[in-house]
Amino acid sequence: MTTAIPNSYRTGPDETGHFGIFGGRFVAETLMPLILDLQKAYEDAKADPAFRKEMDGYLKAYVGRPSPLYLAERLTEHLGGAKIYLKREELNHTGSHKVNNVLGQIMVARRMGKKRIIAETGAGQHGVATATLCARFGLECIVYMGAVDVERQQPNVIRMEMLGAKVVPVQVGARTLKDAMNEAMRDWVTNVHNTFYCIGTVAGPHPYPMMVRDFQSIIGDETKVQMQEIEGRLPDSLIACIGGGSNAMGLFHPFLDDTSVDIYGVEAAGHGLTGLHAASIAGGRPGVLHGNRTYLLMDEDGQIQEGHSISAGLDYPGIGPEHSWLHSIGRVKYLSATDEEALAAFQLLSKLEGIIPALEPAHALAKVSELAPKLPKDHLMVVNLSGRGDKDVPQVGDILKGRQS
Amino acid sequence: MTTRIDTRFAELKAEGRSAFVTFVMAGDPDLATALEIVKALPKAGADIIELGMPFTDPMADGPSIQAAGLRALQAGMTLRKTLQLVRDFRKTDDKTPIVLMGYYNPIYIYGVDKFLPDAKEAGVDGLIIVDLPPEEDNELCIPAMKAGLNFIRLATPTTDDKRLPAVLANTSGFVYYVSVTGITGAAAADASVVGTAVARIKRHTKLPVCVGFGIRTPEAAKAIASHANGAVVGTALIDALKGSLDADGKATAKTVSAVADLTAALAAGVRGAKQAAE
């Protein structure tokens, strides 16, 4: 491979879409011609200054970027160690980082002349972002969502429908995100001629993991500039939650070659790593699913197991292939937080900072509570606050009410 | 190297007819019944058997085959037991080709280096792995060819003339033409449209071309068989099996005959067709 920077962590994937042994294009033949078209369309878009300019315009005026980098003073004081900054992705239009990627993909879809957009969603954040941009650009939108998630994420289902999207509850399997992704792929295989599949995370067949990462890298790029402005130097550590891992990859990627920066990804440990969980790296092994090779939860026969997390956005049994590679080479440390730890962090941030986080980044905040007190006061730590907690308010409210009675 | 598949197509050519290819799921609804079904298929007129390897996430399959895989998994089916099923079948039938069809992950976890000799020894003749396109040939296709197993590739309506040579490059045994873009059990394509597609593929290869997806009746099987070297039926057989199960989804006295009777009717349809011109 030709690369300008030797020993860079940022040059992947290779031309066949692999990060080491991870990634690739493991899909049915019907989809391969479209995936090759998409790869070309994305490469053309990347090379076109007009595409970047148009996207920057929407990012600023429609999404509301740059998102602030906020010093969480009371949380810092409470934990008594590292100085904690929150990257405020929850302030984006639609309430999470998902919109960065969806905007990019919808603009690629428009270049390809696709008028029908499909997506899968767990917590509904990706579905809401997709429904929003389809409304903005006048495109048909179908969102596959596990029937269980439709139940537990009602506010987002209502939002998607208000935006004109059709939400299809998936009744097979455990009726969560993995099953929604299978159904989306079935739709795609069936309607390949006119349909664009807008994948919500850094997973799936090449070029998706790369493309989604590129669109999300704005998080880390901004963080670099903002930290220079505020502190005059790079942060010392970064931390983000991982389901598929797109918010984490977006924050991490611009810093991968800055080896002074410690990087932590936090998986969902659910009821604990010996019970039901969704920690693919801590509790899984490499396998092939949904178009890529990556760490997966599975049994000894290679049958995929369901993930569990209090957060519908994290209960996917896999992880983006670039994360698998970063784990295998040791550049990023992958930790995990349980449902209970995430709930505690959810309440802590709400009460100390007046910011109700989504349950997903609450997992990252849980590990901040553990790591920060052990670090010196001049240690700069950035947490990606990937989404706001509006969607989780009914669910967390019910849990807390149940405990009081 | 001549495989059972090559031999079977040579025999069919001599008979002047197309192949009837059946798909059933290994272990559906349970291991013992599935073995009886597989044994009954050649007697009922199946020329080649595709045996599904159950997988939790069959992304290219429709509800019927998906449910069949889950029934098999719930009954305790594993890849190891699928190979044992083939081994048991070979005790009574050394002629009918068996092609395993499924998804890559269970084989990857079994270990490609161990799987290929085990499959060959069990009496497997070929593999169809839905999620391994030519771009991932190094994973299994090329090692399988070296191990003496046919790797049968799917070609689809989206596989254009530019891409066909790549799809056919390492294909052997036969080419499986998926007649519709979509999942298994979807609506059937028009037989004359299929005929045009088969002719297009045949301009690129000497291999037999079998057509599947959406064939449910003896008439449809006959129409497809007159345009192709084989007609593949899966979902209709699985639906017949499902219809014979009791309220708990368990096999009944009718289960084997439900599949065998439909196989016989479909086979008669295929035998009524003249083979497509070479």
Side-chain angles (χ1 to χ4, degrees), chain A residues 212-348:
Chain A
V212 177
R213 173 201 74 198
D214 292 351
F215 290 139
Q216 291 294 4
S217 288
I218 191 165
I219 303 171
D221 287 335
E222 284 178 7
T223 300
K224 249 186 180 179
V225 173
Q226 290 165 324
M227 195 56 106
Q228 283 291 351
E229 284 169 4
I230 301 168
E231 296 276 358
R233 64 180 181 93
L234 288 176
D236 299 299
S237 61
L238 308 173
I239 187 161
C241 66
I242 313 257
S246 71
N247 90 83
M249 193 53 69
L251 176 64
F252 299 170
H253 201 259
F255 289 96
L256 288 177
D257 288 339
D258 299 306
T259 48
S260 66
V261 182
D262 291 331
I263 307 181
Y264 302 96
V266 184
E267 298 190 292
H271 298 162
L273 291 177
T274 53
L276 288 170
H277 65 83
S280 312
I281 284 183
R285 57 199 162 126
V288 175
L289 181 73
H290 292 155
N292 59 174
R293 176 166 22 231
T294 193
Y295 273 81
L296 297 168
L297 301 180
M298 63 180 121
D299 69 12
E300 63 284 354
D301 195 42
Q303 305 296 340
I304 308 302
Q305 291 173 327
E306 301 293 343
H308 163 81
S309 167
I310 191 171
S311 159
L314 300 183
D315 68 1
Y316 181 66
I319 184 171
E322 194 167 5
H323 284 294
S324 293
W325 176 69
L326 290 168
H327 166 71
S328 71
I329 59 168
R331 175 65 187 100
V332 176
K333 288 189 190 69
Y334 291 87
L335 314 169
S336 57
T338 63
D339 289 352
E340 282 302 322
E341 290 171 325
L343 261 178
F346 179 99
Q347 296 172 78
L348 186 69

Side-chain angles (χ1 to χ4, degrees), chain A residues 16 18 21 23-33 36 172-173 178-179 181-183 185-187 189-193 285-291 293 296 298-305, chain B residues 54-63 66 70 73 77-80 104-110 130-136 139 153-160 163 167 178 180-183:
Chain A
T16 62
H18 289 85
I21 67 159
R25 284 175 293 213
F26 297 87
V27 292
E29 171 60 24
T30 308
L31 296 178
M32 272 312 296
L36 297 172
V172 297
K178 166 175 89 87
D179 310 292
M181 193 151 184
N182 288 335
E183 282 305 303
M185 290 189 99
R186 290 187 180 106
D187 179 314
V189 163
T190 307
N191 300 293
V192 66
H193 291 294
R285 57 199 162 126
V288 175
L289 181 73
H290 292 155
R293 176 166 22 231
L296 297 168
M298 63 180 121
D299 69 12
E300 63 284 354
D301 195 42
Q303 305 296 340
I304 308 302
Q305 291 173 327
Chain B
F55 184 49
T56 40
D57 294 79
M59 280 99 60
D61 285 302
Q66 194 182 359
L70 293 179
L73 290 172
M77 203 58 189
T78 62
L79 185 50
R80 209 168 298 278
Y104 182 42
N105 198 53
I107 294 174
Y108 179 67
I109 295 306
Y110 191 102
V130 178
D131 53 354
L132 284 180
E135 281 74 7
E136 303 290 349
E139 293 283 335
R153 185 85 70 202
L154 303 176
T156 74
T158 61
T159 315
D160 60 16
R163 183 166 169 80
V167 169
V178 176
V180 292
T181 58
I183 52 178

Side-chain angles (χ1 to χ4, degrees), chain B residues 30 37-38 55 90 124 135 138 151 216:
Chain B
D30 60 76
I37 289 170
V38 175
F55 184 49
R90 283 279 170 250
V124 172
E135 281 74 7
N138 289 332
F151 197 87
R216 301 192 70 91

Side-chain angles (χ1 to χ4, degrees), chain B residues 179-221:
Chain B
S179 61
V180 292
T181 58
I183 52 178
T184 53
D190 186 274
S192 65
V193 175
V194 168
T196 309
V198 170
R200 179 168 73 89
I201 294 169
K202 282 183 168 289
R203 285 199 291 276
H204 294 267
T205 181
K206 288 191 164 48
L207 288 171
V209 179
C210 297
V211 176
F213 281 43
I215 305 170
R216 301 192 70 91
T217 62
E219 295 72 32

